[in-house]
Amino acid sequence: MSKSLPSNQNSKRLSLRRPTTADLDFLVDLFSRPELVAHRPDPTPDTPQQSSAKLARDIDHWDKYGFGRWAAEAKGRLVGFGGVTVSNDFEGLNLSYHLHPDSWGRGYASELVMEALCAAFLTLEAQRVIALARPANPASRRVLEKCGFTFDRDVMLHGAPTGLFVVSAASYSERQRG
């Protein structure tokens, strides 16, 4: 993909920016929380080294492709990470997001997902965005469906059944005209 995103942009309540190494302490805290990793096949919290590797992958993705997962801030403080990345396993860009549990229930997830879809379809000109949600995580499924994703099929991911959800460029455009 030859298009890129600006390294900073704003939605209604979120400031979205390219992640930096200064975000590591937040990421270590985020992925050490049992409630955040509860829906993984292995719900063991990440070690600081694993969180550091995640951050390095996010930074490298921005360097390689000119877009990726943002660090999301609300009211001047970091609340999570999310956005679209190149998928090696499925057709289309891959949407992912993780919000700090202190920020759950405030609509930030939906706002972040909608901003990511806008960037994917209007700026990056993607034809399809996919997202993955485990059956044990109905809150994630609700966010995806609220934002226009439809269930496509079940897939096995890391040894566990996972729902594959899809938004096409055509369905996104139709929903925006809505």
Side-chain angles (χ1 to χ4, degrees), residues 8-16 111 115:
N8 294 292
Q9 64 187 66
N10 295 311
S11 64
K12 184 176 178 184
R13 299 175 302 153
L14 297 174
S15 295
L16 306 170
E111 190 170 332
E115 198 65 27

Side-chain angles (χ1 to χ4, degrees), residues 68-176:
R69 289 169 22 108
W70 294 295
E73 297 177 346
K75 299 178 182 173
R77 66 181 248 284
L78 205 49
V79 296
F81 285 82
V84 292
T85 56
V86 172
S87 174
N88 295 320
D89 299 314
F90 302 99
E91 177 190 342
L93 294 180
N94 180 47
L95 171 90
S96 63
Y97 63 91
H98 296 93
L99 294 178
H100 194 283
D102 292 347
S103 299
W104 291 356
R106 298 182 184 171
Y108 293 146
S110 297
E111 190 170 332
L112 178 57
V113 169
M114 290 306 294
E115 198 65 27
L117 290 175
C118 179
F121 292 121
L122 301 182
T123 304
L124 300 175
E125 299 176 358
Q127 292 304 301
R128 174 177 148 124
V129 175
I130 64 101
L132 301 159
R134 304 242 187 249
N137 190 352
S140 185
R141 182 181 182 131
R142 282 191 301 274
V143 167
L144 296 175
E145 290 171 343
K146 176 181 177 181
C147 294
F149 281 84
T150 57
F151 176 78
D152 185 67
R153 68 183 187 274
D154 283 318
V155 297
M156 289 300 285
L157 188 66
H158 306 292
T162 304
L164 175 70
F165 295 81
V166 177
V167 176
S168 69
S171 66
Y172 177 81
S173 179
E174 183 178 308
R175 184 178 166 113
Q176 296 309 300

Side-chain angles (χ1 to χ4, degrees), residues 6-27:
S7 48
N8 294 292
Q9 64 187 66
N10 295 311
S11 64
K12 184 176 178 184
R13 299 175 302 153
L14 297 174
S15 295
L16 306 170
R17 62 170 173 76
R18 183 181 172 144
T20 69
T21 56
D23 298 324
L24 182 58
D25 288 343
F26 176 85
L27 206 62

Side-chain angles (χ1 to χ4, degrees), residues 23-32 51 54-55 81:
D23 298 324
L24 182 58
D25 288 343
F26 176 85
L27 206 62
V28 167
D29 177 58
L30 182 67
F31 285 103
S32 72
S51 293
K54 272 184 177 56
L55 181 58
F81 285 82

